[in-house]
Amino acid sequence: MADMTDKAGVLERWISQARKGYFEMLLLARLQAGRAYGYQIVASLKQVPGFENLAEGTVYPVLTRMRNDGLVTAEWVAEDSGAPRKYYTTTQFGAEVLAEMKAIWAAMSAALDAQEVTS
Amino acid sequence: MADMTDKAGVLERWISQARKGYFEMLLLARLQAGRAYGYQIVASLKQVPGFENLAEGTVYPVLTRMRNDGLVTAEWVAEDSGAPRKYYTTTQFGAEVLAEMKAIWAAMSAALDAQEVTS
DNA sequence: CAAGATATATAGCAATGCATAGTAGTTGCT
DNA sequence: AGCAACTACTATGCATTGCTATATATCTTG
């Protein structure tokens, strides 16, 4: 429960909300930069500020949903050494959706700045 | 139910998620630009792209929560004409929190762009 | 006075996502 | 053989949001 001046508490709750939506876009952007497998994605995105504690249980359901939506495809790849890995790749459709997401995100940022001036 | 290539459907669901968190920040930014009352805020934010259908039932609960968190204060003001209005103003604490929200938002945007390069 | 615009507020609902935690299998090292 | 690290995935529960609908009251206008 957030105290009246518990900045960390207020921000923490806000971040957990702000992450929604953003995370899917971030994940899509990560795959757009090059195919990757689940475990690698988790390790990679853990380095993004605010995602230090990213769990696999968060990533896999999103990957499944994105595959159902046709944003990405998955493909098993047998490696020279180690267990086979499931690589995810963005589809053409996924690339288009990502572009629109980014445009909307940019519009949101612009609307935010616009408030400052509009007295 | 989103079809495999139903771009509008996919984006719509994404936007409804991306709005979370963003809306609170937008509202705080609006009040930071100058005090306002609920009905006015609704009319004002309806002009922001993506919020054309913003409802009062969405705004008032958020204002109440923000007041409970100490981000804003509310004050009844008797008008020369018309019913009295309840004006909301950001507190010092609210201004600090808004600044941090914006910083986090900017960091998120930066992390998004960073993905493109990191192959 | 009646109708409509203005203004604030709450209750209930549907949808969603995230985190925790656990399952299961493989590979490599000692 | 045994253990740690790697890899993929699922289930459940919690918390939250935003919308719809509703209630209430005042003011303005015809």
Side-chain angles (χ1 to χ4, degrees):
Chain A
M1 206 63 61
D3 183 9
M4 281 281 286
T5 53
D6 179 8
K7 190 183 289 187
V10 172
L11 282 173
E12 204 166 324
R13 195 196 49 206
W14 178 77
I15 290 173
S16 83
Q17 290 304 318
R19 257 205 296 255
K20 297 178 196 291
Y22 172 76
F23 176 65
E24 184 163 348
M25 179 172 53
L26 179 69
L27 183 46
L28 203 49
R30 170 64 187 83
L31 292 179
Q32 179 74 1
R35 73 170 194 178
Y37 56 95
Y39 200 81
Q40 177 187 23
I41 293 169
V42 175
S44 153
L45 293 187
K46 270 185 177 174
Q47 295 172 13
V48 174
F51 290 88
E52 293 81 6
N53 299 323
L54 184 65
E56 295 149 29
T58 301
V59 174
Y60 285 108
V62 177
L63 284 172
T64 301
R65 192 177 63 234
M66 280 169 43
R67 200 176 28 175
N68 289 337
D69 287 342
L71 301 177
V72 303
T73 54
E75 178 191 19
W76 283 103
V77 174
E79 305 288 335
D80 287 346
S81 77
R85 292 160 170 168
K86 200 183 208 174
Y87 280 89
Y88 294 86
T89 314
T90 52
T91 61
Q92 171 63 27
F93 179 58
E96 292 170 14
V97 167
L98 174 60
E100 295 217 27
M101 284 178 175
K102 284 185 171 182
I104 292 169
W105 185 266
M108 284 181 168
S109 302
L112 190 66
D113 294 338
Q115 295 302 320
E116 289 173 6
V117 201
T118 307
S119 166
Chain B
M1 203 63 63
D3 184 11
M4 280 283 285
T5 52
D6 179 8
K7 191 184 289 186
V10 171
L11 283 171
E12 205 166 325
R13 197 195 46 206
W14 177 76
I15 289 173
S16 84
Q17 289 304 316
R19 256 206 295 257
K20 296 179 194 291
Y22 172 77
F23 176 65
E24 186 163 347
M25 178 172 54
L26 179 69
L27 182 46
L28 202 49
R30 170 64 189 82
L31 293 179
Q32 179 75 2
R35 73 170 192 178
Y37 56 95
Y39 202 80
Q40 177 186 23
I41 293 170
V42 174
S44 154
L45 294 188
K46 269 185 178 175
Q47 295 172 13
V48 173
F51 289 88
E52 292 82 5
N53 300 323
L54 184 65
E56 295 150 29
T58 301
V59 173
Y60 285 110
V62 176
L63 285 172
T64 301
R65 192 177 63 232
M66 280 168 46
R67 199 176 31 175
N68 289 338
D69 287 343
L71 302 176
V72 302
T73 55
E75 179 191 17
W76 282 103
V77 174
E79 305 289 336
D80 287 345
S81 77
R85 291 160 171 167
K86 199 181 210 175
Y87 280 88
Y88 294 87
T89 315
T90 53
T91 61
Q92 172 63 28
F93 179 58
E96 293 171 13
V97 168
L98 175 60
E100 296 216 28
M101 283 177 175
K102 284 184 171 183
I104 292 169
W105 185 267
M108 283 180 169
S109 301
L112 190 66
D113 294 338
Q115 294 302 321
E116 290 173 5
V117 201
T118 307
S119 168

